Structures are given as C-alpha cells and as structure tokens.
Amino acid sequence: MPNPIRITPIGGLGEVGRNMMVVEHDDVRIVIDCGIGFPHGSERGLGVETYLPDVRALRGRPIDAVLLTHAHDDHCAALAHLIRTGTPVGRIVSLPFTVAMTEAKLSEHDLPIPPLEAVDPGQEVAIGPIRAEFIRVAHSIPDAAAIALHTSIGTVVTTGDYKLDATGQDTRRQVDRARLTALGDAGVIAMLGDSTNAPLPGRTPSEATTIEPLNDVVDEASGRIILTSFSSQIDRVDHAILAADRTHRQVMLLGRSMRRNVKIAERLKEIHSPNLPPLGKREVEGNPKAMIICTGSQAEEFAVLSRAARGEHPDLNPGNGDTVIFASRPVPGNEGPVEELQAMLRMRGARVVTHQDAPIHVSGHARADEIAEMIRMLRPTSVIPIHGEQPMLAAQAEIAIANGVDAANVHVGQNGDVIEVSPTGLALVDQVDAIAVPAGSDGLPLEAGEPG
Ligand SMILES: [Zn+2]
Ligand SMILES: [Zn+2]
C-alpha cells in the first residue's frame, strides 16, 4: 500500500468563498488557493467585512508552495492573513495574470512577500518530488487554471473555478480539453471539482453571448453611460470599451481596483482595447458621449457607484439622461443592497439596465452538463466536490456517480475534513478545526487572541 495523499479543505466547503485546501504527500506541503469569504444577508452590517480561513492547522510546519488557480478574492485575498500569521511560505506559483494581481494586492500591505513565480500552462513546476502543472480553463477572469499534481502514487486534479466555454475567440480563454483528456488517459486518482453551478441543468452560456446585447444597450443610450461590473472581469470591461470606441464615446475608468486591474491586463496584453485616456472631471460631468466604467456592482458601501448614488463622489453625479448598466449580477445574499442601489439611481433620474433586462451577464461556473463532461475527460477514481454550499456539493456528487465514479469514492465533506486519497479510493481519516474567522476591512481578524 503506497503512502496516500492527504487533502484537507480548510474553506470553501458548505459555503461560497474562502477557498483553501492543503495537500500533503512525501513530506511536501502544498496549499491550493487562500481566499476570503463575504458576509451576506443578516451578517452584513455587523462590522464583519470579510471572513478568513482558519489557518491554525498549518502552524508549526512551513508551506513549500502556495498554488493559485486564479486571482479572484475568494481564492487569493487571504494570503496577507496567512503571511501575517508567520507561517513560512516557500513560494507562490500561478499563471502570469494571477501572479501580477497577487503581487499588486500583497504590496498594499506592509508584509514580506514570498517569492512569486509565474508559469505558463503546460510548464511543470517541481515542488520536492511533486510536479505541479497548470491547465487552462475558462472562467470570468483571465488566466484561470486547473492544477494537476503529479505525485509518486498518481495524479490529483483540482479544477479551480471553471466553465467549458469553447466559443471565445481568444485561445487564452479556452479550456485545454486535449490536455484534460490526456490526463484522464494517463489516469487521475482524484478530482476536486467546482460545484457552484452543479444544481443547474445544461451549460452556462459563453461570455461571447453578452457582446451583442451589450452593444445594443450601448446603442440605445442617448446620454452618458455608467457601466459597472466586477473589476477583475477583464473581458466584460474590454467589450464595454470596444462598444464605447465603436460609438465614439470617451471612456473613463473610476475606482481603484478597476484602474489597477485594467492596467495589469494592458501590460500582460489581456485586453484588446487601445489606449484609455482618462477624462477629466468636467468633461465627464458635461459630456453626453462619455462611458464611465466603475466599481460597485455589488453595492459595496465605499465603491464608486454607491458613493455616486449617495451624492458623495467628487467625479460622478448620476442623474437625468444617464444610463446605468449593471453588467453583473448580485452575488447570493447581495440582492437586497443591489436593488436598493438601483432604486437610488432611478430616484436620481437615471435609467437602470440590469441582467434581467438584457442578457449582459453570464456566470463563470460550469453547470451540470459541463461538470459531467469534465468528469468524462478526467475519469477520476475519486471525486471530492469543493467550492459551494452543501446542496451544490451534493449535486456534483450525483453527477460524478451518474458518470461512472464509484459512490464509495465520492466524498461530500466539510471544512476541516482530512481525506486520504490513494489510487484505489479515498477515506476520511481525521478532522481539524476550520472555522470562519471574522475580519474587518483591513483583512485583520476582529477579535484579539483570534485563531491565527
Ligand atoms: Zn470561486
Ligand atoms: Zn472565481
């Protein structure tokens, strides 16, 4: 019996967000993702801005490498917290956009930054005797990856957040089906899979399906356009800028993360739009041909759009004649605040267009048929659904079993489960503490003496 691989999800099971997982084998300790979670519903407004993963279980032993699947905050924004606890981190490895975003975010803290290493898809990285490989997948941010860990007893694949969007014109947004299939042919002993949209039937539409509807909304707007989306959704921002160029609108980016992310995307050639000269305040206020692209699609209290709706933004005062486009949708739990924000904008006289008025938003997560396809490509011996609330995990488990995975080798678990994976199956062998640690806007735990 070869020594099994130990996998411990610390966050992201039974919840959306806070994704973090420890993989240990042959004296190597790897962490995959290190994200924050957000309060929702009744948790909002209690002083808790974010939830952090409980990294106590990591104390006392260094991490050889942190591998990041992509740059969303729920996968990498708890890195500062992890570093602050003093746990040594040998290096942080991912694809170039993720590494650049991580570097930008970590440099906002006064912390030592571990060595950052950008790799290309297909390039193998040796972490002791384990070889890690990043495989391109489609998601709602550039450079999303699945990660294969090739160990002495076999290969484990974590999908990261993904969908199987095959219609993007850019090969850098396409899933590497050939490589995933080749991994399946060679043998995958376990798959850890994104469960977010597993309860939904069919397939998630391609990002490309949002382009025409967005163009139509832009064409219909007679006055100024204020567009908000996730600032890391570079393709959506890119499409908006191209629509502005086409209709001779001048573009201004508002919001720190929007400017930062677009700058990084420009540098790495992840955005196609030509130069983006920012307009001055007077021009934006008076210019009916402007398009302002800003942060705040989730009604975050201090983001540009919320401040503008309250009349508190120095450069943006929405009102009559403006069209405000929400090229996004509220993340679960944010529906109330987002509706309130939209009502405030309407009260100021603006026209509000949302994903309910036009198909200008699609999800970045695979639905049931795509998950089935992923399982048929990888043909894993064992499946551990990750990323999602319990019903989402259970839905992925059902899909796995329906596609030939032995029910005994499918583990619907919870944070803190220590799971041993071998070429023949898996077993739950232990449980460690893995609570959600409440934190303030500074990313620091709220309570003194908190779990480190
Ligand atoms: Zn995620
Ligand atoms: Zn994501």
Side-chain angles (χ1 to χ4, degrees), residues 277-299:
L279 288 183
K281 176 186 173 184
R282 255 177 307 126
E283 286 170 277
V284 171
E285 279 305 328
N287 185 348
K289 292 300 276 181
M291 180 190 283
I292 296 114
I293 301 176
C294 65
T295 53
S297 69
Q298 297 304 313

Side-chain angles (χ1 to χ4, degrees), residues 290-312:
M291 180 190 283
I292 296 114
I293 301 176
C294 65
T295 53
S297 69
Q298 297 304 313
E300 302 94 325
E301 190 179 355
F302 298 109
V304 171
L305 198 54
S306 294
R307 287 161 61 204
R310 294 195 299 264
E312 293 169 4

Side-chain angles (χ1 to χ4, degrees), residues 235-417:
D235 288 349
R236 194 80 48 81
V237 173
D238 200 13
H239 297 152
I241 298 170
L242 290 169
D245 287 347
R246 205 172 45 78
T247 50
H248 310 292
R249 289 176 178 274
Q250 285 179 286
V251 172
M252 176 166 162
L253 303 173
L254 279 184
R256 204 167 51 98
S257 64
M258 186 65 77
R259 286 170 176 269
R260 178 195 67 195
N261 297 354
V262 169
K263 210 184 227 173
I264 291 171
E266 265 192 304
R267 177 160 61 79
L268 295 176
K269 301 196 169 28
E270 292 288 353
I271 198 157
H272 300 99
S273 312
N275 297 332
L276 324 161
L279 288 183
K281 176 186 173 184
R282 255 177 307 126
E283 286 170 277
V284 171
E285 279 305 328
N287 185 348
K289 292 300 276 181
M291 180 190 283
I292 296 114
I293 301 176
C294 65
T295 53
S297 69
Q298 297 304 313
E300 302 94 325
E301 190 179 355
F302 298 109
V304 171
L305 198 54
S306 294
R307 287 161 61 204
R310 294 195 299 264
E312 293 169 4
H313 198 283
D315 298 324
L316 187 60
N317 203 5
N320 278 328
D322 290 340
T323 299
V324 184
I325 304 173
F326 282 75
S328 57
R329 68 173 296 159
V331 301
N334 275 357
E335 294 87 351
V338 170
E339 272 166 32
E340 268 168 49
L341 171 62
Q342 291 167 349
M344 280 167 76
L345 291 162
R346 286 192 190 99
M347 264 162 53
R348 297 177 71 95
R351 183 174 156 251
V352 174
V353 179
T354 75
H355 73 286
Q356 287 169 317
D357 305 308
I360 52 177
H361 173 78
V362 291
S363 167
H365 298 275
R367 290 186 175 204
D369 288 359
E370 294 159 272
I371 292 172
E373 191 184 336
M374 177 64 90
I375 290 166
R376 289 196 299 264
M377 286 191 284
L378 293 175
R379 281 157 287 145
T381 305
S382 297
V383 168
I384 304 168
I386 55 172
H387 301 173
E389 288 159 15
Q390 210 278 342
M392 304 170 184
L393 305 179
Q396 165 139 233
E398 261 180 51
I399 298 166
I401 293 162
N403 284 277
V405 181
D406 186 343
N409 293 336
V410 179
H411 179 76
V412 176
Q414 51 190 321
N415 294 329
D417 283 358

